[in-house]
Amino acid sequence: APETVVVATPHGVNYRDYIHISPGASARGDLRRFGDAKTRVSVACDREFATEVARVAARNGVPAGTLGENDKTLDHATLVPLWFLQREYKEFQLVRISVSGLSGAEHFALGKCVAEAAETLGRRTVFIASGDLSHRLSDQGPYDYAAEGPIFDKQVTQAMAEGDFPAFLRFPGEFCEAAGECGLRSFQIMAGALDGK
């Protein structure tokens, strides 16, 4: 059973040049904006862990921390996996990390800071890298189809299957944009957290 669950989300507080780690003692959210008034999640937050990640990041020159939160509610990319997780486990605390406009290498470096914080604090930690793959797989949704979409999905799932997490750092930016990716930077943080494990 996890003591701390770290969720990297593409739909949290996003900055171009700073990776936001949500502060606070608790968080809650719902899916009302998607027409679901019933699904709600509340969770305690691991402030000590969030502070430790920010401290390690500062020491390592990674631009990340708990400043600048402009929305305390749980975004859907955090809420959905927590809803499933809370069906089995109740006694964990959350650390929520948003992605940013920084490079893949800097997201990877933050993941290493997460792993160091977990080790320093001795926490049983689960890392959830939330996000879709491509939003451009079909003309039936809110995004148009793009040939890069299925290619992106295949390459990401192949890297996952092979444990080739450094592959997440090699995707060209133009290709990712054309594919309508959602989640790659979450996967990059996860890759750093799992590096060497």
Side-chain angles (χ1 to χ4, degrees):
E3 295 173 297
T4 299
V5 173
V6 178
V7 177
T9 173
H11 296 296
V13 178
N14 292 41
Y15 292 104
R16 184 180 57 77
D17 58 354
Y18 181 75
I19 302 171
H20 186 260
I21 304 164
S22 292
S26 63
R28 66 183 67 234
D30 59 50
L31 295 177
R32 220 174 295 163
R33 70 179 258 216
F34 298 99
D36 177 356
K38 294 180 183 175
T39 302
R40 295 184 176 116
V41 169
S42 296
V43 64
C45 295
D46 192 336
R47 294 166 79 176
E48 182 182 22
F49 196 113
T51 300
E52 182 65 14
V53 174
R55 188 187 69 73
V56 174
R59 190 182 74 228
N60 287 289
V62 179
T66 58
L67 301 175
E69 182 168 60
N70 56 24
D71 185 358
K72 297 178 188 235
T73 59
L74 294 174
D75 61 277
H76 61 281
T78 303
L79 187 145
V80 171
L82 289 182
W83 184 86
F84 285 102
L85 192 63
Q86 285 183 336
R87 296 173 81 175
E88 296 296 324
Y89 302 107
K90 302 280 188 204
E91 302 303 317
F92 65 87
Q93 294 184 310
L94 172 69
V95 174
R96 180 172 43 145
I97 300 174
S98 297
V99 301
S100 75
L102 293 167
S103 70
E106 287 175 290
H107 285 87
F108 183 90
L110 182 68
K112 292 178 77 104
C113 297
V114 169
E116 184 177 329
E119 192 170 310
T120 298
L121 296 172
R123 297 278 206 281
R124 283 191 316 275
T125 306
V126 166
F127 192 102
I128 298 174
S130 187
D132 276 347
L133 298 177
S134 170
H135 281 320
R136 299 189 177 273
L137 301 176
S138 166
D139 285 328
Q140 303 302 310
Y143 302 91
D144 293 331
Y145 172 81
E148 293 86 352
I151 295 169
F152 177 83
D153 281 17
K154 182 177 181 183
Q155 290 178 358
V156 168
T157 54
Q158 182 176 347
M160 289 275 191
E162 295 173 358
D164 181 15
F165 298 140
F168 299 145
L169 302 175
R170 296 191 294 264
F171 286 102
E174 307 79 30
F175 171 68
C176 292
E177 189 169 330
E181 71 84 12
C182 173
L184 181 60
R185 288 166 292 176
S186 293
F187 307 152
Q188 291 166 341
I189 298 172
M190 178 197 68
L194 296 177
D195 188 45
K197 305 223 180 318

